[in-house]
Amino acid sequence: MNTIENLKDLTGKKILVRVDFNVPLKGEVIRDDNRIVQALPTIKYLLEKGASLVLMSHLGKIKWGKVSDEEIEQQKAKNNMKYVYPRLAELLTGYTVKFEEATHGESLKTAIASLGEREVLLVQNTRYEKGESKNSKELSAEWASYVDGFVMDAFGSAHRAHASTYGVPEILRSEGKPVALGFLMEKEVKNLGACVKGDTHPYIAILGGFKVSDKIKVIDSLLKKCDKILIGGAMAYTFKKALGEAIGTSPCEDDQLEYARNCYASGKIVLPVDSVVANDFDNPTEIKVVTATSGIPAGFEGLDVGPETIKLYEAEIAKAKLIFWNGPVGVFEKKEFQAGTIAVCKAITENKEAFSVIGGGDSAAAAKEFGYANKFSHVSTGGGASLEMIELDGHLPGIDVIG
C-alpha cells in the first residue's frame, strides 16, 4: 500500500485530504464526532510534515435530479459543513483552521492559494456539486489543479468512484504527483484484509439486517471463505419461509426464496431455532418465544432471536478464530428485542482467540451502545464499504486508484 509515510518533502505543499466527516447531526449539533476524531492522526501527521491541508468530505444526501430546486436548497441547508467546522477547529487547537463556503470557482481557488504552511481549510460539502457523484471530469480537474497531492482517508466513501474520491487522485497520479492512503484507510485495509483473505479457520460470519437482496454478493463471497454463516435480523425470515416455516407477519422477500434455499443447501448457513415475536412492532401487547418447529403464528412478527438460538450462536462463535459481523440479529433499538444482539457482542468479545471485525453500520452502533466497541479487534468506519470490500476481494475504487 502507498501510505502517507511514503510521502516526502511535504513542506509548503498543498495536500487535498478526502476525509469522512459525514457525521450524524441533530439540527446544527453533531451527535457523534467519532469520524472527525478518527481523521486526526492523518491530519496532524501531514501538518507536522509542513503541509497545508484542504479537507473535503460529503455530508448527508443531496438528491440532484430527483427533487425540486427548493428541496435541493433545503437539503443543502440541512447538510451544511459549517456545522462541522467548529468541532474540527476545537480538535485542532494550535493550528489555523478555516472554512470555505464555495465548492468551485475563484473563491475556492483563492482560499486554497492563500493557505499558509500548516494551515487547514475545510471546504463545503462536496455533494453541493452535482458533478461530485457523477465523477465529473471537469470538477475533478478543477479540484486537482489547486493542490500538489492527495491523501485518501475516507474509508466510508472508498466504495464510491466520485470526483473527490477517484477523479482527483486519478488525475494527480497521472501527472506524477503524490497520492497515498491515510492512517485510517491503512488500518481498514489491513484489518478487513483478514476477512477478505479468509485464511484463518474456523471463520464465522454473522449477518443480520433487513434484506437478503442487499447482501447477496457478500453472502456469495463469504460462502466461499467461511466455515459457518449465522443469519439473524429480518433477513432470517426469508430463509425460514424458503424452508417452509411459518413466519407470520415477519418481513420477507419472496423473490429471494430460491436464492435462500440454494444458500442453505451449502450446509454453511445457520438459522435461528427460535424467535422472540410480538403482535405489534410499535406497541406490542404480547411478546413470546416460538420455536422454528411451531413457526410464527399469524399476526405476530419476529423481532429477535430466541434463547436457544443465542446458545447455538454462542457455541459457534466460541469455536471461531476469525469473525466478521455485519447487521444486528434483532431490533436492538427496542429494549424488549436487544438480548440477541447483546449476546452476540458478548460472545464475540469473550472469544480471546479470535480476530473479530465489525463491518460498520448498525452493528458498530449496537456495539458502542452496549459498551463492547473497544473490545473488538477492529470496528470499521464504513458499513457499505466494508461489505463491498469483501464482495470484491479487497478492491474498492478509492483504494485501487491510489495504486
Side-chain angles (χ1 to χ4, degrees):
M1 290 183 293
N2 190 26
T3 67
I4 56 175
E5 290 174 304
N6 297 326
L7 300 181
K8 309 297 181 186
D9 303 322
L10 293 177
T11 302
K13 298 288 179 63
K14 292 179 172 60
I15 305 296
L16 194 164
V17 186
R18 181 45 162 98
V19 290
D20 182 5
F21 288 173
N22 184 30
V23 295
L25 295 172
K26 186 174 184 180
E28 300 179 8
V29 179
I30 296 172
R31 291 192 288 112
D32 185 350
D33 67 356
N34 180 57
R35 287 178 172 172
I36 306 173
V37 172
Q38 292 279 347
L40 294 179
T42 291
I43 291 170
K44 289 182 176 179
Y45 176 86
L46 292 169
L47 290 172
E48 287 163 9
K49 293 295 182 181
S52 53
L53 304 184
V54 180
L55 305 184
M56 286 191 175
S57 173
H58 76 279
L59 179 61
K61 294 181 179 179
I62 310 293
K63 298 181 179 179
W64 290 103
K66 297 180 181 179
V67 296
S68 67
D69 290 346
E70 183 180 351
E71 288 173 295
I72 291 289
E73 292 307 312
Q74 290 172 353
Q75 289 170 3
K76 284 185 176 182
K78 178 182 176 183
N79 298 306
N80 195 316
M81 198 61 75
K82 71 180 181 183
Y83 305 139
V84 175
Y85 169 64
R87 182 56 179 150
L88 175 66
E90 187 179 5
L91 289 167
L92 289 174
T93 299
Y95 295 99
T96 298
V97 183
K98 304 173 182 178
F99 177 62
E100 175 54 47
E101 278 279 4
T103 48
H104 77 281
E106 286 301 317
S107 181
L108 178 61
K109 181 180 181 180
T110 301
I112 294 174
S114 63
L115 269 180
E117 192 176 302
R118 293 184 171 88
E119 291 187 345
V120 178
L121 179 70
L122 176 65
V123 179
Q124 181 59 275
N125 186 351
T126 58
R127 289 187 178 170
Y128 275 31
E129 290 291 333
K130 190 185 296 187
E132 157 73 329
S133 60
K134 296 179 179 179
N135 191 18
S136 159
K137 290 183 179 179
E138 293 76 18
L139 183 62
S140 298
E142 179 184 343
W143 285 344
S145 71
Y146 299 150
V147 296
D148 304 305
F150 177 90
V151 170
M152 178 62 176
D153 212 32
F155 182 73
S157 298
H159 58 310
R160 299 186 176 104
H162 288 180
S164 66
T165 60
Y166 191 90
V168 172
E170 183 182 40
I171 290 170
L172 291 173
R173 187 180 172 191
S174 71
E175 294 173 348
K177 293 178 180 175
V179 296
L181 299 179
F183 291 129
L184 176 61
M185 285 291 297
E186 182 181 5
K187 183 170 70 172
E188 292 277 12
V189 171
K190 283 182 177 178
N191 289 321
L192 278 163
C195 298
V196 171
K197 291 176 184 175
D199 292 338
T200 305
H201 296 276
Y203 179 7
I204 302 293
I206 303 134
L207 296 180
F210 197 74
K211 292 182 177 181
V212 173
S213 57
D214 288 343
K215 295 187 176 173
I216 287 176
K217 291 179 181 178
V218 78
I219 292 171
D220 288 343
S221 180
L222 288 170
L223 281 172
K224 298 172 187 174
K225 300 165 183 172
C226 289
D227 299 285
K228 297 285 184 182
I229 300 177
L230 316 184
I231 302 290
M235 63 188 288
Y237 302 105
T238 296
F239 280 88
K240 284 176 163 292
K241 185 173 179 179
L243 299 179
E245 291 182 28
I247 63 168
T249 57
S250 304
C252 176
E253 293 179 281
D254 288 336
D255 60 341
Q256 299 299 329
L257 295 177
E258 184 178 355
Y259 174 77
R261 278 190 289 270
N262 291 337
C263 287
Y264 190 77
S266 70
K268 294 184 176 183
I269 301 291
V270 181
L271 296 174
V273 294
D274 59 351
S275 301
V276 179
V277 303
N279 62 343
D280 187 84
F281 181 90
D282 294 312
N283 299 295
T285 57
E286 190 177 354
I287 299 173
K288 59 185 179 181
V289 176
V290 299
T291 66
T293 305
S294 65
I296 300 174
F300 282 79
E301 178 179 358
L303 297 171
D304 196 9
V305 296
E308 293 305 312
T309 302
I310 287 173
K311 291 178 186 176
L312 173 64
Y313 288 6
E314 285 173 340
E316 293 290 351
I317 290 167
K319 302 173 196 171
K321 293 292 189 292
L322 177 61
I323 301 168
F324 175 76
W325 178 28
N326 181 276
V329 297
V331 185
F332 76 93
E333 298 89 348
K334 293 177 177 282
K335 191 173 182 180
E336 302 93 331
F337 313 114
Q338 292 178 343
T341 300
I342 292 173
V344 167
C345 284
K346 188 170 184 288
I348 295 173
T349 55
E350 285 182 349
N351 182 345
K352 304 303 181 185
E353 301 298 314
F355 186 81
S356 56
V357 175
I358 297 182
D362 288 340
S363 306
K368 183 176 182 180
E369 180 176 335
F370 301 132
Y372 289 95
N374 63 354
K375 298 178 182 179
F376 285 79
S377 305
H378 179 66
V379 179
S380 178
T381 55
S386 65
L387 289 179
E388 285 203 28
M389 191 169 172
I390 287 182
E391 291 168 15
L392 302 172
D393 286 327
H395 294 281
L396 292 176
I399 296 171
D400 293 348
V401 73
I402 300 300

